[in-house]
Amino acid sequence: MSEDIRTSIGLRPVINVSGTMTSLGASIVVPEAIAAMSSILPQFVEVNDLQRKASAVIARLTGGEAGFVTASCSAGISLAVAGAITGNNLLAIEKLPDVVPGKNEVLVQMGHVVSYGAPVDQAIRLAGGKVVLVGQATSTHRFHMEHAITEKTAAAVYVVSHHVVDYGLLNLNEFVEIAHAKGVPVIVDAASEYDLRIFLEQGADVVLYSGHKFLGGPTSGIVAGKKELVRNAFLQNMGIGRGMKVGKESIFGVMAALEAWEKRDHAGIRERETSYLNLWKRTLDGRPGVTALIEPDPTNNPLDRMRVIIDTDEAHITAWDLADALGRGSPPIIVRDHEVEHRYFYLDPCNLHPGQEKIVASRLAEELDKARASNEIIATPIENRSKRRFEGVLKWPD
C-alpha cells in the first residue's frame, strides 16, 4: 500500500464520520472525475464553450433549461441573487455590490438564516442584496411572506439543510406559490442534497448544488434552472463572480461526476452503508449509558445515520468529551457534533474507505471502555469547545 499523502506532509490521517463537510475536504472524489481533471489539465480550452458543454449535462441531470459550474454552492447563491438583481445589465453587473437598479430585496425565512461555515445571508449581501427576514425563527405563515413582497423584491431564497428549523416554516411548494403569484423568482440552496431534480420540479426557478458533496466531484458549485436566470447569474463572472471563478479542471470534473452519477450503483452503496451502521450498533448496544439509534436523513436524502446518545452518569463521559476524545485519538475519528450539547452526536457512513468502518467501531469501544474505567466522570464545560475552536483559528497559521 502506498504511503498516505497526509502523513507525508504532516497532516493527521482523519477518518470522516461527520458527512460531506467542506472543513474535512467534502467527499471522496469519484475516479471518473479524477481522470477527467487529469486529462484536461495540460490542455487549453475556451472556458465559456466548456461551460456550454457543462450546461447541457447539468440540464439533462437536473431537468433545468441551463446550468453552469462555479466555485461553490455559496458562490452560486451570490451569483444567482446578483443575476436576479441586475438581469443582463452589464453596467449594473460591474457596479455590484453597489446596486444600480432599485430592486434588490431578497426574502429569506428567518428559520433559514443559518451558517454552513459562513452565514447564508452574507452570500446574499455580497451580491448587493438586502436581506428581508420573513416570519420568526420557528414560525412563518403565508401572511408573513405575502406582506414582505414589495416592488423592490428581486428574489426569494429557500434553504434546504439539516441546520434549518424543521418545523413551523413554509414548505417549498407554498413558498414558490406565494413568490410566483407576485412574479418573484425562487432560488433554492440545496448544497448537500441528493435529488438533483425535485426542487425544480417543485417550482424553483434556480437551484444550487455542491459539486463536491454527494456527487463526489471537485470543489465546486452547480447553478441550474431557467435559462434566462441562469444566464444572468453566469454573466456575473464579469463582475463579483470573477473572485468565484472555477478552472477548466473543475468544470470538466463536475461534468464527469454528473455522468458517473447516472451510472452509480446507488442501491449497492446504501447496502454497504447499512452494513457499517449495523456494525456500529452491535458495537454500542448494551454498553452502559449509550443508546445507538439508526435514523433517516432529516432532509429526505436516501441514507441513514447513527445517533449516539450518551447518559453521562452511566457512560462516565459527556457526549462532547467523547466526540473530542475520538477526534484526538489515533487514528482521529471526526463525528457530526453540531447538536452535541443535547447529549448526542451522529456517525455518518457515507465517506469511508473500505475497512475504516471497523476502525471506527474499535475506536468507539476503546474510548467508551477508557471512560468507564475512569474513577471520575469526564465532564468539561460545553462552552470550552467553542472557545477552543475560535482561539485556534484566530492563531492560524501558528
Side-chain angles (χ1 to χ4, degrees), residues 65-344:
E65 296 174 356
F68 68 93
V69 181
T70 184
S72 64
C73 191
S74 179
I77 297 171
S78 296
L79 298 178
V81 166
I85 292 171
T86 66
N88 62 1
N89 182 329
L90 299 182
L91 180 61
I93 288 168
E94 285 194 354
K95 288 186 174 296
L96 285 182
D98 295 332
V99 178
V100 176
K103 203 170 184 176
N104 71 323
E105 292 184 354
V106 179
L107 308 187
V108 189
Q109 294 184 86
M110 189 179 290
H112 282 190
V113 181
V114 297
S115 175
Y116 46 72
V120 164
D121 59 315
Q122 186 173 49
I124 296 169
R125 289 184 281 111
L126 282 170
K130 179 182 177 182
V131 178
V132 176
L133 298 178
V134 179
Q136 293 88 42
T138 58
S139 177
T140 305
H141 300 293
R142 292 186 68 96
F143 67 85
H144 287 130
M145 185 168 174
E146 287 169 343
H147 288 282
I149 297 173
T150 72
E151 69 281 355
K152 294 184 178 180
T153 305
V157 171
Y158 191 95
V159 180
V160 183
S161 168
H162 65 279
H163 288 299
V164 303
V165 174
D166 63 356
Y167 61 92
L169 304 187
L170 297 172
N171 63 38
L172 180 57
N173 287 318
E174 195 169 14
F175 191 87
V176 166
E177 178 192 337
I178 296 166
H180 284 181
K182 297 194 176 183
V184 174
V186 171
I187 299 165
V188 173
D189 169 9
S192 297
E193 298 311 295
Y194 205 95
D195 193 322
L196 298 178
R197 304 183 75 91
I198 190 170
F199 305 109
L200 290 175
E201 288 173 351
Q202 290 179 345
D205 300 286
V206 176
V207 63
L208 316 165
Y209 292 97
S210 285
H212 54 277
K213 294 192 174 176
F214 285 125
L215 279 172
T219 301
S220 56
I222 296 169
V223 179
K226 293 185 176 176
K227 185 181 290 186
E228 183 180 4
L229 293 172
V230 170
R231 180 190 295 123
N232 292 340
F234 182 77
L235 290 174
Q236 307 304 317
N237 286 306
M238 294 187 289
I240 63 167
R242 182 64 177 177
M244 306 170 188
K245 67 183 178 183
V246 65
K248 59 192 176 186
E249 69 282 2
S250 291
I251 301 168
F252 200 44
V254 167
M255 292 168 64
L258 284 165
E259 290 175 333
W261 184 259
E262 290 181 287
K263 304 168 188 173
R264 187 179 293 185
D265 179 10
H266 295 274
I269 291 170
R270 297 289 84 76
E271 184 178 350
R272 185 174 72 240
E273 292 171 354
T274 299
S275 74
Y276 298 167
L277 292 169
N278 289 335
L279 169 64
W280 299 338
K281 186 163 176 56
R282 291 194 301 271
T283 300
L284 296 174
D285 278 352
R287 286 183 171 273
V290 181
T291 303
L293 303 175
I294 296 174
E295 298 181 344
D297 178 81
T299 60
N300 297 318
N301 288 313
L303 58 102
D304 295 331
R305 296 184 182 87
M306 176 165 288
R307 188 202 296 237
V308 181
I309 307 169
I310 301 298
D311 181 320
T312 302
D313 291 338
E314 289 291 320
H316 288 193
I317 192 168
T318 66
W320 53 89
D321 285 303
L322 178 55
D324 288 347
L326 289 165
R328 286 193 304 266
S330 180
I333 310 294
I334 310 300
V335 304
R336 179 179 289 216
D337 62 356
H338 64 291
E339 295 176 321
V340 75
E341 65 268 29
H342 295 300
R343 302 187 302 113
Y344 58 80

